[in-house]
Amino acid sequence: MPFDPMAIAIDWLDAYRAGDIEAILEMYAEDAVVHCGCGGVKTITGHEALRAYWIDRLREYPAGTLSDLNPSHEGTIISYVTNSGAMSALFSFDVTGRIKKLDCSPSH
């Protein structure tokens, strides 16, 4: 059964808003790469690095409301609000529907 990239992005935001680190980490592929453009560009790979990144994100930048959701040629683009302002995240997925790549940065 094919997966719904937009539904996965909403599930990701719901888990982020709930502060559910285990649910968030479960959504990533084993070889996932996160490119974060917040406070200097960071590239995060590997399970432990992702966990450390998310512990910090959940503490410092809790997610608020969804502001936009759109399909893209790579997957899905979601915009949401944090305490530091509007953010935009571009998701790419593997064949099983896990997050393969996430590029996030402040919205412009």
Side-chain angles (χ1 to χ4, degrees), residues 13-61:
L13 183 60
D14 288 344
Y16 185 178
R17 289 173 20 186
D20 188 344
I21 193 168
E22 297 308 323
I24 293 167
L25 292 174
E26 202 171 281
M27 300 177 97
Y28 286 91
E30 286 295 315
D31 58 348
V33 177
V34 174
H35 298 284
C36 180
C38 311
V41 177
K42 299 178 273 306
T43 299
I44 300 98
T45 59
H47 188 76
E48 290 310 309
L50 271 176
R51 179 176 293 281
Y53 168 78
W54 275 107
I55 288 170
D56 181 63
R57 297 291 310 166
L58 292 171
R59 182 180 60 241
E60 300 294 326
Y61 305 102

Side-chain angles (χ1 to χ4, degrees), residues 28-96:
Y28 286 91
E30 286 295 315
D31 58 348
V33 177
V34 174
H35 298 284
C36 180
C38 311
V41 177
K42 299 178 273 306
T43 299
I44 300 98
T45 59
H47 188 76
E48 290 310 309
L50 271 176
R51 179 176 293 281
Y53 168 78
W54 275 107
I55 288 170
D56 181 63
R57 297 291 310 166
L58 292 171
R59 182 180 60 241
E60 300 294 326
Y61 305 102
T65 57
L66 171 69
S67 57
D68 202 10
L69 177 68
N70 291 291
S72 84
H73 67 282
E74 291 187 38
T76 300
I77 299 172
I78 190 170
S79 298
Y80 57 95
V81 177
T82 71
N83 59 359
S84 65
M87 301 297 294
S88 182
L90 170 61
F91 294 86
S92 301
F93 301 96
D94 68 11
V95 295
T96 66

